[in-house]
Amino acid sequence: MPIIKGLEWTFDTVAAQYEKLRPEYVPELYEDIFRYKQLDQTSHALEVGIGGGQATLPVLKTGCHVTAVEYGENFSQLCRQKFREFTGFSVVTSKFEDFAGESASCDLIYSASAFHWVPEEIGYPKVYDLLKRGGVFARFANHPYRDKGREEMSRAIQKVYDAYMPNAAEGSEYGEKEAEERAETARKYGFTDISYRLYHRTRTFTAKEYTALLGTYSDHMVIAEETRKAFFSEIEQAINRFGGQITLYDTIDLELARKP
């Protein structure tokens, strides 16, 4: 889905729905992170944009302390409750740009499908400053691509988008070129030992489940309610005409970078 700057506040208005419907990440991703940077009870990790906590539990299970910096108050409260059994977990309700952290205090800083909301020229230098020498930045994101196996259905859905969101073309599937270019951004800000990985999976939804998921996307949430209802109804009709299910093909990219 397209990223529209200035809409980051929208997610917090549907925090419970977001937490329920947005996916977690594949185990292989965390295995790669923890091979790159070992964590234990003495480690301190910082998560930028915790959202519904989809990426948090595997890090907490290493035993390390985790501080989450989250712009949304509803998300902050949700995650305080969700991870209340972990005494080393805390949430600071703030934009990352405004977060007053201690320099060279973090072993790992990670951000899951959230760092694109932080201006690059602010975010990368701030991460660099907060990391200890040898500390690691792990940035990862999920890139869903609409059902590749049902072209007629995809065309029918795109016709609905053309009517309601004419600038929201599906675009191309996320791949190696995009992942490499995004990973190399860190090099401009002094990071070294840069690498990236790609992971793939599929998720299948009924028509109603799919429009519920769309209701957690910022550019869909800002559509007037009555218009959004009609929009989603037509998407559901398109899906139901072609079997009643839609499969998303996810590509997850992980960028790893180290502070020398």
Side-chain angles (χ1 to χ4, degrees), residues 26 53 102 110 142 149 172 205-206 210 223 247 259:
V26 295
E102 181 182 350
Y110 67 103
N142 186 52
S172 57
F205 303 87
T206 66
Y210 183 62
I223 299 172
T247 297
K259 177 177 177 177

Side-chain angles (χ1 to χ4, degrees), residues 21 23 142 144-150 153 201-211 213 239 242-250:
L21 294 171
N142 186 52
Y145 189 73
R146 209 157 53 219
D147 203 318
K148 296 189 289 187
R150 301 179 179 128
M153 183 177 66
R201 68 177 172 201
T202 59
R203 293 177 289 147
T204 299
F205 303 87
T206 66
K208 283 199 174 295
E209 288 170 344
Y210 183 62
T211 54
L213 175 67
I239 294 170
F242 295 96
Q245 289 188 324
I246 181 170
T247 297
L248 294 183
Y249 289 74
D250 289 339

Side-chain angles (χ1 to χ4, degrees), residues 5 7-8 12-13 41 45 50 67 110 125 147 151-153 166 184 195 200 206 209 218 222 252 259:
K5 292 296 185 181
L7 296 186
E8 57 268 37
D12 197 53
T13 66
Q41 293 85 348
I50 192 172
T67 300
Y110 67 103
D147 203 318
E151 292 185 7
E152 285 186 293
M153 183 177 66
E184 282 297 313
S195 63
H200 301 278
T206 66
E209 288 170 344
S218 58
V222 295
I252 303 167
K259 177 177 177 177

Side-chain angles (χ1 to χ4, degrees), residues 48-107:
V48 180
I50 192 172
Q54 280 83 355
T56 310
L57 187 58
V59 182
L60 284 169
K61 284 184 173 180
T62 67
C64 76
H65 298 267
V66 175
T67 300
V69 180
E70 170 53 50
Y71 182 37
E73 181 60 45
N74 291 326
F75 276 136
S76 297
Q77 292 293 355
L78 185 154
C79 288
R80 287 187 187 105
Q81 179 67 17
K82 184 174 182 177
F83 301 117
R84 63 189 181 279
E85 65 186 91
F86 293 92
T87 57
F89 174 75
S90 61
V91 183
V92 177
T93 305
S94 170
K95 283 189 173 184
F96 182 61
E97 300 94 301
D98 302 327
F99 172 64
E102 181 182 350
S103 296
S105 61
C106 299
D107 299 280

Side-chain angles (χ1 to χ4, degrees), residues 135-207:
V136 167
F137 179 40
R139 184 215 52 79
F140 45 104
N142 186 52
H143 307 275
Y145 189 73
R146 209 157 53 219
D147 203 318
K148 296 189 289 187
R150 301 179 179 128
E151 292 185 7
E152 285 186 293
M153 183 177 66
S154 288
R155 286 195 294 269
I157 292 173
Q158 190 57 53
K159 284 183 68 175
V160 180
Y161 270 90
D162 291 342
Y164 288 92
M165 296 179 66
N167 296 321
E170 174 67 7
S172 57
E173 191 171 11
Y174 195 89
E176 290 272 349
K177 181 175 181 293
E178 293 86 352
E180 183 177 10
E181 288 177 354
R182 184 168 291 192
E184 282 297 313
T185 301
R187 200 176 301 279
K188 296 190 295 184
Y189 298 95
F191 290 90
T192 60
D193 196 16
I194 294 165
S195 63
Y196 70 91
R197 318 273 196 281
L198 293 178
Y199 315 88
H200 301 278
R201 68 177 172 201
T202 59
R203 293 177 289 147
T204 299
F205 303 87
T206 66

